[in-house]
Each structure stands twice: as C-alpha cells, then as structure tokens.
Amino acid sequence: MTLSNYLFTSESVSEGHPDKVSDRISDAVLDEFIRRDPLNCRLGCETFTTTNRIIVGGEGRCGDDGRGPMFDANGDADAALIEKIARDCVKDIGYEQEGFHWESAKVQVYLHGQSADIAVGVDSAGNKDEGAGDQGIMFGFACTETEELMPAPIHFSHQILKKMADARHAGKTPGLLPDSKSQVTLQYENGKPVRATSVVVSTQHTENLTTDEVREMVRPFVESVLPEGWMCDDEELYVNPTGRFVIGGPDGDVGLTGRKIIVDTYGGAAPHGGGAFSGKDPTKVDRSAAYGARYLAKNVVAAGLADKCVIQLAYAIGVSKPLSVYVDTQGTGRVAEEQISAKLQEMVNLSPRGIREHLELNKPIYARTSAYGHFGRKPDADGGFSWEKTDLVDGLKAAFGA
C-alpha cells in the first residue's frame, strides 16, 4: 500500500564538503584523460582528502596526444600533472585556509596503469563488442514534482547550496566559507509535496560571524528556492544548529570519492544500485548506465506516459548487452510497463557502447557533475548533462498516441 500523506527528507552537500572536494578532483583527472584520448582512455580514480593532504590513486590508461605520455615506462601516472589538477580544483572551490590550502597541501599520487585482466573484458576485439566495465545494477528515476522532473526535496536541497555557492564566489556573502550542507523536509498530501516543514542549513564561516548573523545571511537563499507559501515556520529553520562551524572542509573531516551517492542521485526517493559515479570513465556502467537510465525515465515522464518512472538496468562485466531492462511506473502509468520497456530498447541501444555513443559521453564534461547532483541539471551546449535531454519524447508520444 502506497502512503499518500507523509513527510520526506533529502539532503545535499556543497562543493566544499570533504567528499565533494574528493569527487571534484577525481572527475577533473578524468576530464584530462578524456581530453587526451577520448575514445580509448580508461580510468578509475579515487581521492582522499584530510588536513592539508590530498592523495590520488587508482588505475587507468591513456594515449599520448602529443603532449607527452600520461604514464611512464614503469606504469606510473604523471604525478606533476595530477598534482596540478588537484591544486587547481581546490583553488577553484575556494580553500585558502590554514588547515586546507590549495597551495600548501601535500599531494601524493598513486595512479598506475590499468589491469590487463580488466581491459581484455571491456575492450572490443574482432566480433566482440565493447563490454561493461563492471557488473552491477543501475537505476534511473523521474517524477513530476518539479519542472526538472526530479523529487522536490533533493532538488530544493541542491538549489539552496548552489545559490549560496554562487553568491560566495561572487563575493556577496563575506564570511561564509566553502563547506556546507542542507536538508529539506517536505509535507506530502495525496502523494504531492505541498510545503516545507523544516529546513536545515549548516555552513562553514569565519570566526567573526555570530550564529544570528549567519542565520540571516542564509535565510534569503532558502526563501528564494522554495515555492511561494512553502517556507517552514521560523522555529523549524535550523541554521548551524550546533552554534559554530568554523573548522570545516577536509580539515574538519576526511573526504573520499564516491561517498555521497544518494546526494548525487535522487535523495533517497528512488532506488540506487550502489555504485558511485565520480572518477569513473563512461565504459564503467556504474556511471554511464545510471545516466542512461535517468535519460530513459525522464523521457517517459516528459512524454506523459507516467507521473513517476523507475528504470533498472543490469550488466555483467565484459558483456555488451544489458541482462535486464525493468520499468516501474509505480501505479501512475498510462501505458503498460512491458510496452514501455520494449519501445525504449528499440529506440536506444543500451549496450555500454550504445549508451556512450547515444549520449556522447566521451567528452570532458565530468568535473561539473561533482556537486549539486548529477540529475535535474540543464543540458550544456558542449554535451554536458546530455542525459537530461528529452529528445525521445516525440517518438514515445507517436508510439503510444500520447
């Protein structure tokens, strides 16, 4: 039995959160690999951040585009290049603090060549198509709660922090620092969100700001994001509820790539297969198939075939075809799920190569995904967030007379 009246909460974290700093560095390294060798590069890159220390590790491969090899004769990556990428990321985020500074942090690189055992399973050869870079299950989701066809709690949580970050970068919020978190609880009536019952925002700040000053700086961002009439009661707006947040970022807590998978996706409103995205090239279906599943689900909802749509794709390492394509419209569908599944597979090749080529994923478009969600974003002219396009809508409508 589906609940119709309930409260639901989602959270987001900013680009300055320790885990997001790590995601950003891993994805920026990936972008550099793709710039140098867009079709054949491979990468699985993990980043660890803590007080004035950054450690980048993993494995990959990359051809030489004329700027010199990415890996030396021993199979070790160009440490100086990776270090520069890491420092540039931290600088762009805005960390110039005693405990974490883009210029003085120690950077260590442990990135080496890809295992031949993995490569032979993934690469195409002869009559063998490109296989999945790993086994796994991936989910996509869309719903009509927002214009972006995203669940409202995670969408508003992202937007609060994104607006705060934009203002900070523009110098409009002196005293607010990069590390922040948000949490939005919405009241649902008859299955639809109607108002916020509580909002939590914790943001790092300088010593000179009081709790009340921080609260009044944050409040306008919350009010600007929530729809008119949705603002929670004043006593349910919690800003820095501990009262102080001066030490933050990797100096306050360790950061690791891939630890914010629910923040990255649907805020808990839909299933997640378990695999993280950042630092992984698009042959790895943890990333590309999750993007593909979102693309399909969003087009189903945008075409008016359902108000909600969950899509699951399953793969085995080295196997090119999906093992299953599952569609669930959660009782909101206007067309049978098996018909939707069949039509989507007819319209889009859901092999790893097919998804990568259809969405043009072999482009340096990944650093921008590392904060404020991988979904619900506007497609960019250079191919970023291509999985948010709704170019299947006309075909779906024609197929089902919607």
Side-chain angles (χ1 to χ4, degrees):
M1 181 177 178
T2 302
L3 287 174
S4 59
N5 300 313
Y6 54 92
L7 302 181
F8 193 84
T9 305
S10 295
E11 71 157 349
S12 181
V13 297
S14 72
E15 65 200 47
H17 185 280
D19 295 329
K20 284 293 153 196
V21 175
S22 296
D23 284 346
R24 171 70 171 274
I25 293 169
S26 293
D27 275 336
V29 172
L30 172 60
D31 281 348
E32 182 60 24
F33 270 62
I34 292 176
R35 287 188 192 97
R36 290 173 177 244
D37 189 5
L39 295 181
N40 298 302
C41 73
R42 301 286 185 267
L43 185 66
C45 179
E46 310 291 339
T47 303
F48 169 96
T49 55
T50 187
T51 302
N52 268 332
R53 186 177 295 270
I54 301 167
I55 301 175
V56 182
E59 63 173 32
R61 79 175 188 207
C62 187
D64 185 352
D65 67 347
R67 288 180 284 173
M70 182 66 78
F71 295 94
D72 63 20
N74 295 320
D76 295 322
D78 184 339
L81 174 61
I82 304 301
E83 177 178 340
K84 182 181 185 305
I85 291 170
R87 292 192 189 281
D88 287 348
C89 288
V90 175
K91 182 179 182 180
D92 186 65
I93 291 168
Y95 275 111
E96 295 184 341
Q97 300 170 17
E98 182 178 352
F100 195 70
H101 196 294
W102 66 271
E103 197 169 27
S104 59
K106 183 176 181 180
V107 180
Q108 297 169 270
V109 178
Y110 301 96
L111 192 62
H112 59 81
Q114 183 186 46
S115 161
D117 291 344
I118 292 178
V120 74
V122 176
D123 291 346
S124 57
N127 294 324
K128 175 185 173 295
D129 194 7
E130 179 183 290
D134 201 352
Q135 73 175 47
I137 56 174
M138 297 82 207
F139 287 93
F141 180 67
C143 64
T144 56
E145 291 181 12
T146 62
E147 291 183 4
E148 293 77 9
L149 303 184
M150 285 288 287
I154 187 67
H155 174 71
F156 295 143
S157 295
H158 285 323
Q159 287 301 301
I160 290 168
L161 297 186
K162 181 64 168 63
K163 285 181 176 288
M164 288 174 58
D166 289 345
R168 176 175 60 82
H169 284 297
K172 296 178 180 179
T173 54
L176 297 190
L177 299 175
D179 191 2
S180 58
K181 301 178 72 172
S182 64
Q183 183 173 287
V184 175
T185 300
L186 297 184
Q187 180 177 334
Y188 283 71
E189 294 180 357
N190 297 318
K192 297 185 181 300
V194 295
R195 65 182 294 268
T197 60
S198 67
V199 176
V200 183
V201 180
S202 295
T203 181
Q204 187 187 14
H205 60 89
T206 54
E207 284 269 10
N208 62 302
L209 289 181
T210 67
T211 301
D212 288 341
E213 288 172 330
V214 173
R215 180 185 178 87
E216 292 312 306
M217 292 175 74
V218 166
R219 181 197 299 274
F221 296 104
V222 178
E223 292 175 337
S224 69
V225 165
L226 293 176
E228 186 176 356
W230 281 41
M231 186 65 184
C232 62
D233 295 338
D234 192 62
E235 61 270 20
E236 294 296 326
L237 173 62
Y238 302 95
V239 177
N240 285 8
T242 64
R244 174 184 168 89
F245 188 2
V246 173
I247 299 174
D251 186 30
D253 194 10
V254 65
L256 290 171
T257 299
R259 283 208 299 193
K260 287 293 178 285
I261 58 176
I262 301 303
V263 170
D264 285 344
T265 55
Y266 308 104
H272 191 290
F277 302 153
S278 290
K280 296 178 180 178
D281 75 79
T283 67
K284 295 173 176 59
V285 285
D286 274 345
R287 181 167 220 159
S288 56
Y291 291 172
R294 161 64 179 175
Y295 172 67
L296 298 180
K298 183 175 183 180
N299 275 272
V300 167
V301 173
L305 305 185
D307 293 333
K308 293 182 180 181
C309 184
V310 174
I311 290 182
Q312 183 204 62
L313 304 176
Y315 295 86
I317 188 168
V319 178
S320 62
K321 67 176 183 178
L323 305 184
S324 64
V325 180
Y326 166 82
V327 177
D328 179 10
T329 55
Q330 301 186 336
T332 70
R334 300 169 185 91
V335 177
E337 280 107 338
E338 60 268 23
Q339 291 180 302
I340 295 174
S341 176
K343 186 61 183 177
L344 291 174
Q345 292 178 74
E346 177 186 317
M347 297 176 78
V348 181
N349 177 357
L350 295 177
S351 70
R353 180 197 294 273
I355 292 174
R356 178 169 54 78
E357 292 180 349
H358 187 94
L359 296 178
E360 299 182 318
L361 297 179
N362 284 92
K363 295 180 177 181
I365 55 174
Y366 295 103
R368 71 192 73 172
T369 70
S370 62
Y372 314 115
H374 291 244
F375 307 127
R377 311 282 288 271
K378 291 182 179 180
D380 294 326
D382 65 354
F385 302 104
S386 60
W387 49 93
E388 292 297 314
K389 296 187 296 185
T390 53
D391 53 356
L392 301 181
V393 165
D394 290 343
L396 289 170
K397 285 183 174 181
F400 297 110

